[in-house]
């Protein structure tokens, strides 16, 4: 499963014509759920199945998706709770200075003064910029680091290391 990336979670069915509600786990919703696009779903028995997008539309906080392989509510009922994936090799390259979430997660975060803060465990997208949740396992603390140029000074994906310059008050209790 290391060759796969999550792009959505099927949370429920919608209507009687095989439509499912998907919570997206991707910055590229339109691209991932584009008609004729192929995704993978891993069944509870760890079997990988390819599904082809038949239709996609936005509805509230969900993406409503139908697959060419399924036509009725009875057929898609078994997909509830499963995750949709894309193969890593199908990712498109990003611009310089842009990163996929999976590249940032598990990176060690260190201040410009050399203080180790912890590891990025989660990325939140509350508004204007992403916020990295950095967990310090020694002190059992979390830090919320905004992904902005004033704070994030260097990202080394190969070394899984991020250097930040914390703004005043950012690391306060």
């Amino acid at each position: 499963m290391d060759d796969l990336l999550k792009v959505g979670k099927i949370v429920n069915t919608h209507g009687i014509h095989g439509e499912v509600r998907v919570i997206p786990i991707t910055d590229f919703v339109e691209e991932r759920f584009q008609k004729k696009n192929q995704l993978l779903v891993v069944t509870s028995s760890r079997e990988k199945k390819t599904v082809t997008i038949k239709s996609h539309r936005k509805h509230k906080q969900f993406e409503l998706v139908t697959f060419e392989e399924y036509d009725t509510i009875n057929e898609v009922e078994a997909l509830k709770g499963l995750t949709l994936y894309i193969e890593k090799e199908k990712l498109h390259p990003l611009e310089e200075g842009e990163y996929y979430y999976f590249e940032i997660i598990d990176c060690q975060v260190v201040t410009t003064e050399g203080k180790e803060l912890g590891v990025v465990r989660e990325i939140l997208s509350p508004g204007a910029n992403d916020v990295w949740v950095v967990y310090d396992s020694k002190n059992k603390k979390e830090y919320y680091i905004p992904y902005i140029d004033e704070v994030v000074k260097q990202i080394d994906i190969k070394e899984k290391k991020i250097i930040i310059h914390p703004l005043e008050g950012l690391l306060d209790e």
Side-chain angles (χ1 to χ4, degrees), residues 1-3 5 20 31 47-48 55 57 60 65 71 74 97 108 113 117 129 132 148 151 160:
M1 296 269 290
D2 287 344
D3 59 333
L5 291 174
V20 293
E31 181 181 324
E47 178 188 355
K48 293 180 190 177
S55 70
R57 63 189 174 105
K60 299 182 181 173
V65 178
D71 293 318
N74 294 336
Q108 180 70 36
E113 291 79 36
L117 294 181
N129 54 272
W132 297 342
I148 55 176
V151 174
K160 298 294 278 179

Side-chain angles (χ1 to χ4, degrees), residues 14-167:
H14 186 85
I16 60 170
H17 300 290
E19 201 166 33
V20 293
R21 288 184 185 182
V22 176
I23 295 177
I25 310 171
T26 177
D27 283 339
F28 307 100
V29 172
E30 292 302 319
E31 181 181 324
R32 297 289 174 245
F33 300 113
Q34 187 175 359
K35 190 175 181 175
K36 298 286 185 199
N37 227 17
Q38 291 191 323
L39 299 174
L40 293 170
V41 65
V42 179
T43 66
S44 54
S45 61
R46 311 294 286 161
E47 178 188 355
K48 293 180 190 177
K49 286 187 174 184
T50 300
V51 291
T52 307
I53 304 293
K54 183 176 181 180
S55 70
H56 164 249
R57 63 189 174 105
K58 183 95 175 137
H59 178 69
K60 299 182 181 173
Q61 75 270 30
F62 301 105
E63 306 303 320
L64 297 182
V65 178
T66 58
F67 304 113
E68 291 181 5
E69 296 79 6
Y70 302 92
D71 293 318
T72 69
I73 188 172
N74 294 336
E75 293 173 333
V76 295
E77 192 72 32
L79 300 178
K80 281 185 2 185
L82 298 182
T83 302
L84 294 166
Y85 297 90
I86 188 170
E87 294 168 321
K88 278 186 183 176
E89 70 228 21
K90 291 187 178 176
L91 292 175
H92 67 275
L94 298 176
E95 299 289 321
E96 187 174 328
E98 292 182 334
Y99 304 93
Y100 285 105
Y101 283 6
F102 76 91
E103 294 176 306
I104 298 298
I105 300 288
D106 292 331
C107 281
Q108 180 70 36
V109 178
V110 180
T111 67
T112 49
E113 291 79 36
K115 179 183 177 190
E116 291 188 11
L117 294 181
V119 175
V120 178
R121 286 287 173 227
E122 185 180 0
I123 298 175
L124 307 174
S125 299
N129 54 272
D130 287 345
V131 175
W132 297 342
V133 180
V134 176
Y135 183 68
D136 175 358
S137 59
K138 277 189 274 185
N139 299 310
K140 306 278 189 258
K141 289 165 92 176
E142 282 186 343
Y143 299 102
Y144 295 89
I145 308 299
Y147 179 44
I148 55 176
D149 291 339
E150 294 84 12
V151 174
V152 179
K153 296 302 178 187
Q154 184 181 344
I155 299 174
D156 186 338
I157 295 302
K158 286 186 177 71
E159 295 294 320
K160 298 294 278 179
K161 185 175 181 181
I162 297 170
I163 298 175
I164 68 160
H165 176 73
L167 299 175

